[in-house]
C-alpha cells in the first residue's frame, strides 16, 4: 500500500515538473501587463535629470536665501528647550523595561 502512495506522489511531481511552456509564458505576460504595455527600463545610475534639478534648486536656495533674507531674532528659550526635553523623554522611555505579563490581551465572549 505504501508503494501506491509513493508512485502516485512521484507521478504527481513529474506532472508538475513538466508544465507546458506556453502556459508559463502566458502567466508571465499577464503579470507584466501584456506585450503592448512593456515599460522601458530606467536609465542606468541612481539620479535622473529631474532629481538633479531638484538638488541644484535646493542647493542654490540654501546658498542665496540667507544672503537675501533679513536676519531673524533668536527664538525664545522655551522653544529651544522643547526638542531637548522630547529627546530626554524618549531616551528615558527607551530604557524602561517592558512588563509583558501585564500587557496580555484576552478574548472576552459576551
Amino acid at each position: 500500500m505504501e508503494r501506491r502512495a509513493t508512485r502516485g506522489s512521484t507521478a504527481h511531481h513529474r506532472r508538475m515538473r513538466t508544465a507546458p511552456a506556453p502556459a508559463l509564458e502566458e502567466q508571465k505576460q499577464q503579470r507584466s501587463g501584456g506585450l503592448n504595455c512593456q515599460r522601458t527600463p530606467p536609465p542606468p545610475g541612481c539620479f535622473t535629470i529631474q532629481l538633479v534639478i531638484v538638488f541644484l534648486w535646493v542647493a542654490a536656495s540654501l546658498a542665496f536665501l540667507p544672503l537675501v533674507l533679513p536676519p531673524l531674532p533668536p527664538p525664545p528659550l522655551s522653544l529651544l528647550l522643547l526638542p531637548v526635553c522630547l529627546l530626554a523623554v524618549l531616551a528615558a522611555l527607551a530604557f524602561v523595561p517592558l512588563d509583558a505579563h501585564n500587557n496580555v490581551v484576552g478574548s472576552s465572549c459576551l
Side-chain angles (χ1 to χ4, degrees), residues 61-97:
S61 298
L62 289 175
F64 294 119
L65 281 179
L67 300 174
V68 176
L69 295 176
L72 298 174
L77 187 61
S78 61
L79 285 179
L80 290 176
L81 289 178
L82 182 69
V84 175
C85 293
L86 284 174
L87 182 65
V89 168
L90 289 174
L93 286 174
F95 293 106
V96 171

Side-chain angles (χ1 to χ4, degrees), residues 26-103:
E26 288 178 15
Q27 288 176 355
K28 287 180 184 179
Q29 288 176 3
Q30 288 174 352
R31 287 182 191 157
S32 66
L35 293 174
N36 296 335
C37 300
Q38 289 181 353
R39 295 182 182 172
T40 58
C46 296
F47 300 111
T48 61
I49 297 296
Q50 291 88 2
L51 194 58
V52 170
I53 291 172
V54 168
F55 285 155
L56 289 176
W57 180 261
V58 170
S61 298
L62 289 175
F64 294 119
L65 281 179
L67 300 174
V68 176
L69 295 176
L72 298 174
L77 187 61
S78 61
L79 285 179
L80 290 176
L81 289 178
L82 182 69
V84 175
C85 293
L86 284 174
L87 182 65
V89 168
L90 289 174
L93 286 174
F95 293 106
V96 171
L98 177 65
D99 188 13
H101 296 292
N102 291 336
N103 296 332

